[in-house]
């Protein structure tokens, strides 16, 4: 898993980077078999409000979540559960069997 933290109009502090890496361990558990997964945090400061955007690209799937508040630390706490929920929902959809009965075709008499 490759973790990248960017800032627009804001320089992410070392403490924010440390907290983000620590909290991203939950994502690492979900992505444990994928070393090529890319996790990108983008923190933007606009008019005193922090917007945090989290994008995860793994095995052809892209997951994205964002949060907005007065503190970038609160945003990290909000964004990760949103993204994990999306991943959990996608896993449930793939594991679910199809609804209905399978089509059975009889061979016609000639």
């Amino acid at each position: 898993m490759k973790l990248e933290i960017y800032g627009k109009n804001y320089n992410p502090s070392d403490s924010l980077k440390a907290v983000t890496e620590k909290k991203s361990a939950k994502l690492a558990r979900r992505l444990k078999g994928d070393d090529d997964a890319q996790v990108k945090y983008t923190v933007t400061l606009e008019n005193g409000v922090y917007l945090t955007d989290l994008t995860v690209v793994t095995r052809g799937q892209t997951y994205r979540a964002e949060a907005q508040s007065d503190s970038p630390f609160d945003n990290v706490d909000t964004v990760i559960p949103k993204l994990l929920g999306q991943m959990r929902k996608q896993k449930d959809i793939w594991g679910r069997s199809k609804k209905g009965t399978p089509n059975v075709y009889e061979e016609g008499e000639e």
Side-chain angles (χ1 to χ4, degrees), residues 13-77:
S13 63
D14 292 336
S15 61
L16 179 63
K17 289 179 182 180
V19 168
T20 303
E21 289 174 5
K22 183 178 177 183
K23 302 244 180 196
S24 294
K26 292 180 183 180
L27 292 174
R29 278 186 257 144
R30 180 68 77 167
L31 302 170
K32 60 185 167 191
D34 192 6
D35 293 332
D36 295 331
Q38 297 178 352
V39 179
K40 294 182 183 178
Y41 285 91
T42 305
V43 181
T44 307
L45 176 61
E46 293 180 3
N47 300 327
V49 176
Y50 294 93
L51 174 70
T52 301
D53 179 37
L54 171 60
T55 305
V56 175
V57 179
T58 175
R59 295 185 186 141
Q61 290 289 325
T62 302
Y63 302 98
R64 185 176 174 280
E66 67 179 35
Q68 185 175 1
S69 74
D70 295 333
S71 170
F73 296 97
D74 293 340
N75 287 345
V76 172
D77 291 338

